[in-house]
Amino acid sequence: MTTRSRFLLDAGDAPTHWYNLPADLPGEPLAPALSPETGQPLTRAEMAHTMPEPLIDQELSTDREIEIPEPVRRLYELWRPSPLHRAYRLEQELDTPARIYYKYEGGAPTGSHKPNTGIPQAYYNKLAGKTGLVTETGAGQWGSATALSAAFFGLTAKVYMVKVSYQQKPYRRALMETYGAVCIPSPSVETAVGRAILAEDPDCPGSLGIAVSEALETFAQDPGQGYVLGSAANHVLLHQTIIGQEALRQMALAEDYPDVIVGCSGGGSNLAGLTFPFLGEQLRGGRPVRLIAVEPEACPTLTQGTIAYDYADTGRLGPLFRMHTLGHQFVPPPVHAGGLRAHGIGPLISRAVEDGLMEARAVSQTGCFEAGVRFARTEGILPAPESTHAIRVAIDEALRCREEGVSRAILFGLSGHGHFDLVAYDKYRAGTLTDEVPAGEVLARAAAGIPEVVGA
Ligand SMILES: Cc1ncc(COP(=O)(O)O)c(C=O)c1O
């Protein structure tokens, strides 16, 4: 095994295809999405309202590999392949026999993994003749990626940003506007959904589900616009598999292989992106690997949600997906990991957890910031609040190795940097950051709103 701490691939060694997990998934095919109008499986014609044909193909595909278009690969080359690091200094600090690796996505122009899918979605929408993109964003990372991707392809961009994040991170808005996008705090008075929510609760901090509804309503009024989404959908998870495919090659350069892979989980895209290529190897008879999804206690979708058909958006405008859900009316407490405040999760992640291929764990906000600061002080990179969830569990696993006296290879996804999140770090250091856990009755009320779907 080498003693190098950074494993890089040349642009020429970058993957040319995305990896599609449904090709290797054992058992029943993935449950189809349902139309909100008919309650029946969504038809291609219905999907075509929101997605260009190539994205529909990808959403439904069971091919193992899907070629990455040349113009998308050219743009990926601006920052990809992303580095894989061995965290020697963190290992020393923890006094652990574990070998800790992380795949860093924060070197992307907007600071996270999100442009990995923003760019192809903008590309396909441009090919379909759209002139602009509409979307929602939680923490602002996806909104920034959409703004940038739209700029690359000469498209306009309108982004509904969850209000609490808009207030916590004014410079995310400034970044989006600099790329040429319009950014609106959600809920807003711009849409009927937003107005209805504000009439009931003028101080509503917003949620991803509400922002999705506002984006969908806006998009529906202008056929020249394309609706793009930052997580959860099969094709979004597919685009992110560039991460894990690179990591597979880089682990080979490190002459090692992960025993455990950890990722933070909002809609599930960075987690899927890192883990699915390794899971595919396992399902095809390769080495088994433990996969761990980490979510905030404040929004315990995988650890306390129900597996059911539910809407991805609060206003019930979009399709229903079979997934772990807390209920589409659930508004999570305003924790700083805005990108993890999602009531539902990508159906493919849900299925991996349901089938026992992936574990799920919920962690506290302060525990995550403690891990993030420790990581920053040893490895130098200031992690995004979302990414600190993966670091928390990677550290816990490494400490377990110390207790058990075993050396395991732990790979985690460092999905983004936290340079726009310094207010949160300030609060943590000042001791004013709290651990928000939704009360049982709040979860029960939201769960009661999950629709009854016959045969689900
Ligand atoms: C840095 C970062 N990591 C993780 C996430 C969670 O999203 P996903 O689960 O789709 O990777 C986000 C979402 O905004 C993010 O900004």
Side-chain angles (χ1 to χ4, degrees):
M1 202 175 298
T2 105
T3 52
R4 282 165 56 201
S5 63
R6 199 153 172 260
F7 302 94
L8 302 174
L9 296 174
D10 286 334
D13 295 326
T16 54
H17 291 69
W18 292 300
Y19 166 67
N20 193 29
L21 181 69
D24 292 314
L25 208 55
E28 295 287 307
L30 203 63
L34 303 182
S35 156
E37 274 104 38
T38 65
Q40 296 301 308
L42 209 60
T43 62
R44 275 191 81 96
E46 286 168 323
M47 292 173 89
H49 293 313
T50 52
M51 272 191 258
E53 288 292 326
L55 290 179
I56 300 175
D57 291 341
Q58 292 173 11
E59 187 64 23
L60 302 174
S61 175
T62 52
D63 294 345
R64 183 168 291 130
E65 295 200 316
I66 294 172
E67 190 169 2
I68 306 173
E70 180 66 19
V72 172
R73 282 163 56 191
R74 287 271 82 79
L75 285 167
Y76 278 172
E77 245 181 68
L78 289 174
W79 75 96
R80 304 208 71 86
S82 68
L84 179 96
H85 296 255
R86 169 102 185 245
Y88 280 112
R89 291 176 53 83
L90 179 64
E91 290 170 20
Q92 265 168 17
E93 146 99 0
L94 299 173
D95 190 22
T96 174
R99 308 177 311 277
I100 306 177
Y101 297 88
Y102 58 94
K103 176 77 168 156
Y104 183 45
E105 290 296 306
T110 56
S112 81
H113 62 297
K114 295 289 179 180
N116 295 339
T117 183
I119 287 170
Q121 289 190 64
Y123 167 75
Y124 292 121
N125 274 285
K126 177 75 176 182
L127 283 188
K130 302 291 182 181
T131 57
L133 304 178
V134 183
T135 198
E136 65 286 333
T137 191
Q141 289 271 19
W142 168 240
S144 308
T146 301
L148 173 66
S149 306
F152 280 151
F153 290 101
L155 300 165
T156 62
K158 190 174 213 181
V159 181
Y160 288 92
M161 183 169 182
V162 174
K163 193 181 282 168
V164 61
S165 295
Y166 185 94
Q167 289 159 346
Q168 286 166 342
K169 299 202 235 182
Y171 296 118
R172 274 281 163 204
R173 171 194 52 74
L175 181 65
M176 288 181 235
E177 289 176 354
T178 304
Y179 286 134
V182 175
C183 179
I184 300 152
S186 165
S188 76
V189 292
E190 287 222 346
T191 65
V193 171
R195 286 190 295 273
I197 288 165
L198 288 172
E200 243 181 55
D201 178 9
D203 297 324
C204 177
S207 71
L208 214 48
I210 295 171
V212 174
S213 289
E214 292 208 88
L216 283 173
E217 185 183 325
T218 302
F219 150 79
Q221 285 156 5
D222 182 354
Q225 302 291 307
Y227 172 69
V228 288
L229 65 175
S231 194
N234 299 347
H235 66 275
V236 176
L237 273 47
L238 173 83
H239 298 156
Q240 295 292 354
T241 60
I242 183 106
I243 302 173
Q245 292 189 80
E246 288 175 6
L248 263 169
R249 294 169 199 198
Q250 289 162 311
M251 288 301 303
L253 291 180
E255 299 164 23
D256 208 349
Y257 198 85
D259 298 297
V260 186
I261 309 181
V262 187
C264 67
S265 153
S269 74
N270 86 91
L271 173 69
L274 179 62
T275 58
F276 283 3
F278 288 90
L279 179 56
E281 292 282 319
Q282 173 185 319
L283 294 172
R284 295 191 300 277
R287 255 179 87 162
V289 52
R290 255 180 83 209
L291 308 178
I292 309 178
V294 191
E295 61 188 11
E297 280 178 350
C299 190
T301 308
L302 285 168
T303 50
Q304 292 194 53
T306 311
I307 302 176
Y309 269 107
D310 195 12
Y311 299 91
D313 71 304
T314 309
R316 300 171 170 235
L317 299 175
L320 294 96
F321 298 93
R322 188 174 183 277
M323 59 184 176
H324 286 74
T325 175
L326 293 168
H328 59 276
Q329 286 151 354
F330 180 66
V331 177
V335 287
H336 282 274
L340 305 185
R341 294 175 71 244
H343 71 269
I345 181 116
L348 273 170
I349 293 285
S350 201
R351 173 69 181 270
V353 172
E354 189 179 7
D355 288 358
L357 300 169
M358 187 181 277
E359 301 164 29
R361 224 175 271 182
V363 290
S364 74
Q365 173 157 257
T366 52
C368 289
F369 273 88
E370 191 263 328
V373 168
R374 206 164 190 183
F375 182 79
R377 289 181 184 173
T378 48
E379 294 295 317
I381 298 170
L382 183 85
E386 290 82 2
S387 316
T388 62
H389 290 66
I391 300 174
R392 174 73 272 158
V393 168
I395 288 179
D396 291 347
E397 287 294 313
L399 292 176
R400 234 184 78 193
C401 286
R402 186 174 75 185
E403 274 163 33
E404 294 173 5
V406 276
S407 172
R408 295 191 193 94
I410 300 167
L411 166 63
F412 72 87
L414 187 57
S415 53
H417 68 63
H419 295 177
F420 290 87
D421 301 278
L422 287 162
V423 170
Y425 278 94
D426 263 352
K427 279 196 202 158
Y428 171 70
R429 286 183 301 99
T432 56
L433 210 61
T434 50
D435 286 331
E436 313 258 5
V437 182
E441 67 263 23
V442 173
L443 290 174
R445 208 176 317 126
I450 298 171
E452 292 271 332
V453 173
V454 180

